[in-house]
Amino acid sequence: MATEGDNDTHMIDVLVIGAGISGIYQLYKLAQTDLFFRAVEAGDGVGGTWYWNRYPGARFDSESYTYAYFFSKELAQEWTWTEHFAGQPEIERYLNTVVDRFDLRRHITFEVRVVSATWSESDRAWTAVLSDGSTIRSRFLVTAIGILSAPQFPNVPGLDEFEGEAYHTGLWPKHEVDFTGKRVAVIGTGSSGVQVISAIAEQVASLTVYQRTPNWCTPLNNSPITDEEQQQLAASFEDMHTQLMSSFAGFVHSFSPEDPTTLTPEQRREYWESLLAAPGFAKFLGNYMEVMTDKDFNAEFSAFLETKIRARVKDQSVADKLVPDHGYGVKRPPFETGYYEVYNLPHVSLVDMRETPIERITARGIVTSEGEREFDIIVYASGFDAITGAFDRIDITGTDGTLKDYWAEGPHTVAGAASPGFPNLFFLVGPHSSGGNVPRISERQCDFVNDVIAEGLRRGATRIEAGREAEAAWTAHVYELNQGTLGAQAALDYTYGVNTPGKTVTFRHYDGGLVGLTAKHAEIVADEYAAFDFS
Ligand code: NAP
């Protein structure tokens, strides 16, 4: 194991962009090799998503122990999660512990962004220009930049005019934000909005929620991990890993084996009641598969959830606005703790932006078609230029042009790991690979990418490029799986890019889950890596 230290003009073997969940694992893997490597990270600490999204209420909605690393049993034994769904501070502590435990921090340069990366055919290397003006030359470039890391503000005028405090959930400051007695607006009701709204509602003087699309929010059902559970978790470390890595999407939950057509509506409702009482993603991934694929079962489950929302919200005219008009699961559903009860508080109001859109932000507050409301704090829970957004923000130039142009009409990759025309560039979590519990997907992808690089080095190659045929086949597979699904028919969320003005509407996620990705990796290996050109 080695690392390139102070002199940034030297050629290194591998440059990793990002020190979040994937970047940390990538560094751990590189530290087992003889390669010279370095990571650059925009934040002043590690964690990626869990560094930037430190807003009140931020927490896992995958079970903590399914999100953690599995590369070290000792680490798993030393670290104990306090809750089934840990909060951001605990997650950040965990990631820092991992980095220090495995002595990875010294490989990371903090508070710099990669501005551009350009491939040189003569050098067979990438030159990365950093935001501090320095450059790093590296034979391989590995992006660990996340799929939800390019924060996006609403496209309304006046954002800079507001004289109060304004925060984006994905760029939350390290200092404490005091909401006590403040008039607060939250724009956006995705997973982040739902968490922050629930967390601050009791503290504020008034809370106005600006909602464009309501979501199907179901109880997270978080709880402390008991000593007994802790012991079970420690004892089942290997089994848990095997279970997760062979599951559909890297979660502990799996679809019900029952065929709902053989059950009565009462039996289905009874099962759904049990799902609502179960933790996290059980409502989605523990459901009947047909709820996600058949529009009638989907409508029946959605109608069941509607009764739950209406039972929790006292004012039915508010409930009318909170009940989605899309089917459950066609848009990534948030998980909540006390969310709907927030709307029963006398100081909370809901603005439906479909009826009264935001026209502009002013020095004092927010103007909709209904008039102006004044605020002390505006929270933008308005999401991200997802999946390809973080790639677009780096000027990556390969053999024939930029990655941004190459993916302009939609990404195309080999197994989400690399694209032709961009030799020696690999993506850990990126387009056409993600779609599940991110750390498990990224573990799989990271193992694969490192195997490809190792194979190239074993063959004495200095250049590894994804093949065009393999790219066409994987891209066709991604779209084929997606075609005709309830999600594709609705094409409602960031996985299609619809939340980003001007972005081509096309599917950027992957519906085959960890299972599909694993099968593809195995096929590529069995085919002796013919999907890549080694030279
Ligand atoms: P999001 O799901 O994209 O939600 C953004 C919200 O802002 C939506 O309600 C959106 O409305 C609204 N919005 C965006 N632009 C707007 C505009 N110009 N005008 C009005 N409203 C606008 O983003 P997010 O809540 O940050 O979550 C993103 C993803 O991060 C989640 O789906 C999840 O995968 C992950 N996440 C996970 C957790 C966790 O528990 N582990 C927590 C937070 C986030 P529309 O829906 O109409 O576009």
Side-chain angles (χ1 to χ4, degrees), residues 15-39:
L15 174 62
V16 181
I17 313 179
I21 293 279
S22 312
I24 292 171
Y25 183 50
Q26 175 65 22
L27 286 179
Y28 170 78
K29 288 193 71 91
L30 287 168
Q32 319 301 310
T33 71
D34 293 330
L35 298 169
F36 283 86
F37 63 95
R38 174 142 290 276

Side-chain angles (χ1 to χ4, degrees), residues 355-372:
E355 289 169 7
T356 53
I358 294 180
E359 291 180 349
R360 64 179 188 280
I361 311 292
T362 64
R364 287 182 312 226
I366 297 174
V367 177
T368 66
S369 49
E370 201 176 44
E372 183 174 26

Side-chain angles (χ1 to χ4, degrees), residues 146-354:
I147 54 169
L148 293 159
S149 51
Q152 193 167 259
F153 289 81
N155 54 335
V156 291
L159 291 174
D160 294 336
E161 283 167 31
F162 184 60
E163 287 172 1
E165 298 167 59
Y167 306 100
H168 191 290
T169 49
L171 292 168
W172 203 265
K174 281 191 165 175
H175 66 78
E176 199 183 335
V177 177
D178 185 5
F179 286 97
T180 319
K182 301 279 173 57
R183 299 164 303 168
V184 179
V186 177
I187 302 177
T189 53
S191 299
S192 306
V194 165
Q195 287 185 334
V196 78
I197 288 163
S198 312
I200 65 172
E202 296 278 0
Q203 290 168 46
V204 300
S206 73
L207 175 63
T208 308
V209 176
Y210 289 83
Q211 171 192 270
R212 188 164 66 183
T213 310
N215 280 303
W216 293 109
C217 309
T218 54
L220 180 65
N221 296 324
N222 189 20
S223 60
I225 298 179
T226 63
D227 290 346
E228 201 186 333
E229 286 169 330
Q230 206 71 263
Q231 282 166 16
Q232 282 165 1
L233 285 169
S236 64
F237 173 78
E238 282 95 357
D239 290 347
M240 170 75 76
H241 190 221
T242 307
Q243 182 195 342
L244 294 172
M245 296 310 283
S246 52
S247 70
F248 176 68
F251 287 89
V252 272
H253 311 284
S254 47
F255 286 112
S256 165
E258 288 207 273
D259 175 356
T261 59
T262 64
L263 304 171
T264 64
E266 290 70 31
Q267 287 171 318
R268 290 194 289 268
R269 263 204 306 281
E270 198 180 317
Y271 181 59
W272 288 335
E273 290 287 358
S274 75
L275 287 186
L276 277 199
F281 264 88
K283 295 87 177 169
F284 193 122
L285 294 166
N287 217 316
Y288 307 114
M289 170 76 97
E290 287 75 1
V291 167
M292 305 306 149
T293 57
D294 178 291
K295 70 175 177 16
D296 293 334
F297 282 120
N298 186 275
E300 189 183 327
F301 183 62
S302 302
F304 165 78
L305 292 182
E306 176 175 348
T307 64
K308 300 297 173 187
I309 297 173
R310 292 193 178 282
R312 290 171 64 183
V313 178
K314 287 189 187 137
D315 181 340
Q316 288 307 299
S317 68
V318 175
D320 288 344
K321 296 189 200 330
L322 289 168
V323 173
D325 55 12
H326 59 269
Y328 181 81
V330 306
K331 201 168 184 291
R332 205 282 204 185
F335 296 92
E336 52 81 30
T337 306
Y339 177 63
Y340 289 111
E341 285 71 18
V342 163
Y343 296 95
N344 297 332
L345 297 171
H347 62 279
V348 176
S349 58
L350 178 64
V351 174
D352 185 339
M353 286 191 275
R354 287 168 168 181

